[in-house]
Amino acid sequence: MIRRISILILLLATTLSSSLSAVPATGSFAATSVCPAYVSKNRQTNPDNARIVVGTRYPVIEANQADHPTWYRLRIATVNPSERWVDVQCGTVKPEPAIGGNSGGAGDCNTPGLADSYVFAVSWQSAFCETHRDKPECGSAAPQGWATSNFTLHGIWPSLTKCGANYAFCSPQPQQKVFCTYPTLPLSNSVKVALGEVMPSATAGSCLQRHEWYKHGTCQKEWDVNSYFEVGVNLTRQFNDSGIGPFVAKHVGKVVNTQDFLAEIDRDLGVGASKRMKFNCQNGNLVDIYMNLPMTIPATPKLAELLQQGKPGFTSDCGSSFRVDAVGYQ
């Protein structure tokens, strides 16, 4: 009995010593090798045999020492406990971490490059316009063209679990209530044309693209502004072209059974895809769909694959059915 207590005290002392010697750090760790992710680096305990995945980026929360760290403690959302130690030789840190600062404070929620997942959001424009009739893209007979039978791009939002919806505005640019007062974006002609189709406000004059970039785009470090919107356009077209767009277009002006729509999503984007989504309805109309995606999105993404990697968690305030709003106001 005495020997067992002594062992426990020794293990506790080892753990406390490891924890006390660590220093806070920030940044993201890009895995270049498949390596174990230890709960304790000193004892190399890894009860679930967790490993980092090549090509995936993980938020950095600690380093084992301030000068020339040999270990980083990462946050890995797919394992429990999520905080794990990884050998520095297993990847690279971008940007270089600020070691010794406060990595646990509210400042993380405005620090770029710390996202542990993404949310991809699309809208049904006719329903959006029912409650935003003053928007230039809505007008008196909104919407028009492509947006009458397809979901439109709302945005791609880097997310940090501990911040919730507050992970945003990761640049010095202050938040603006009027979107067009944000600075203009250096978009290429091809991106402007593409956004004009999938994001009606981009050409109508309400400047949603500027708001999306300064609020959300600045919190990621993977893409410049053009690449960021190219990915959004790509995902939006994939979502509609998968079969979901034609299904909803066929039911414009009608009531859709929610379970039938979920089944359509799973047929078009893979079994369980609907379990990574949130449906938002207003006045019985489906307005928005939010999709949970992983923290790493390739430059040429495949939406069906990304949804399989997203965190499960279906929610809906639409009830057992919803209406697909038609052009014009109810």
Side-chain angles (χ1 to χ4, degrees):
M1 182 66 177
I2 295 176
R3 183 172 181 271
R4 186 175 300 173
I5 293 174
S6 298
I7 292 173
L8 289 173
I9 292 174
L10 178 61
L11 290 175
L12 179 60
T14 301
T15 302
L16 287 174
S17 175
S18 174
S19 177
L20 291 173
S21 64
V23 292
T26 60
S28 63
F29 188 94
T32 56
S33 301
V34 177
C35 293
Y38 297 116
V39 176
S40 169
K41 60 179 170 37
N42 293 337
R43 290 179 286 148
Q44 297 198 346
T45 53
N46 189 1
D48 50 2
N49 197 32
R51 296 179 181 277
I52 57 174
V53 179
V54 174
T56 302
R57 297 184 68 164
Y58 304 93
V60 174
I61 57 176
E62 282 185 318
N64 67 320
Q65 55 196 30
D67 296 324
H68 307 295
T70 55
W71 292 85
Y72 286 114
R73 199 177 189 197
L74 313 179
R75 182 174 290 110
I76 305 176
T78 56
V79 299
N80 186 25
S82 61
E83 297 179 348
R84 302 294 182 102
W85 288 100
V86 174
D87 192 302
V88 68
Q89 296 182 3
C90 298
T92 58
V93 177
K94 297 180 180 180
E96 285 298 319
I99 299 172
N102 179 9
S103 67
D108 281 2
C109 297
N110 308 109
T111 301
L114 300 184
D116 52 26
S117 63
Y118 277 83
V119 172
F120 168 50
V122 295
S123 301
W124 188 254
Q125 193 71 13
S126 296
F128 167 81
C129 286
E130 292 286 357
T131 55
H132 294 81
R133 301 186 185 189
D134 59 329
K135 294 286 186 181
E137 64 268 30
C138 291
S140 59
Q144 299 179 7
W146 190 85
T148 63
S149 57
N150 289 279
F151 285 91
T152 60
L153 172 63
H154 187 165
I156 311 176
W157 307 332
S159 300
L160 181 58
T161 300
K162 71 175 183 179
C163 297
N166 293 323
Y167 187 56
F169 295 105
C170 299
S171 76
Q173 175 62 44
Q175 182 176 357
Q176 304 292 334
K177 291 184 178 180
V178 179
F179 295 167
C180 288
T181 58
Y182 285 110
T184 57
L185 302 177
L187 298 177
S188 66
N189 288 334
S190 61
V191 170
K192 288 180 182 177
V193 171
L195 277 180
E197 180 178 64
V198 307
M199 182 183 278
S201 67
T203 53
S206 55
C207 305
L208 175 61
Q209 76 281 10
R210 298 191 198 180
H211 171 73
E212 289 299 310
W213 173 254
Y214 288 109
K215 181 175 182 179
H216 300 291
T218 58
C219 288
Q220 56 78 40
K221 301 182 73 67
E222 298 296 318
W223 312 301
D224 62 17
V225 64
N226 281 292
S227 298
Y228 174 75
F229 284 112
E230 285 173 349
V231 169
V233 169
N234 189 333
L235 292 175
T236 304
R237 288 175 174 161
Q238 286 186 53
F239 183 75
N240 287 291
D241 294 346
S242 68
I244 295 171
F247 174 86
V248 176
K250 186 172 63 175
H251 292 86
V252 169
K254 301 177 182 178
V255 173
V256 174
N257 181 284
T258 301
Q259 289 302 319
D260 290 344
F261 188 47
L262 296 179
E264 181 67 31
I265 289 172
D266 288 348
R267 278 193 295 271
D268 296 335
L269 292 173
V271 176
S274 62
K275 290 182 170 61
R276 277 84 175 171
M277 297 186 182
K278 175 181 180 180
F279 292 175
N280 290 331
C281 283
Q282 292 183 13
N283 302 321
N285 294 319
L286 177 64
V287 180
D288 295 298
I289 300 177
Y290 300 161
M291 292 166 255
N292 294 340
L293 303 185
M295 69 176 292
T296 300
I297 300 177
T300 54
K302 295 183 179 179
L303 180 58
E305 294 180 2
L306 292 174
L307 282 167
Q308 295 303 315
Q309 300 170 40
K311 182 179 179 180
F314 173 78
T315 61
S316 172
D317 59 9
C318 296
S320 60
S321 63
F322 58 83
R323 186 174 182 273
V324 180
D325 194 42
V327 174
Y329 298 134
Q330 294 180 10

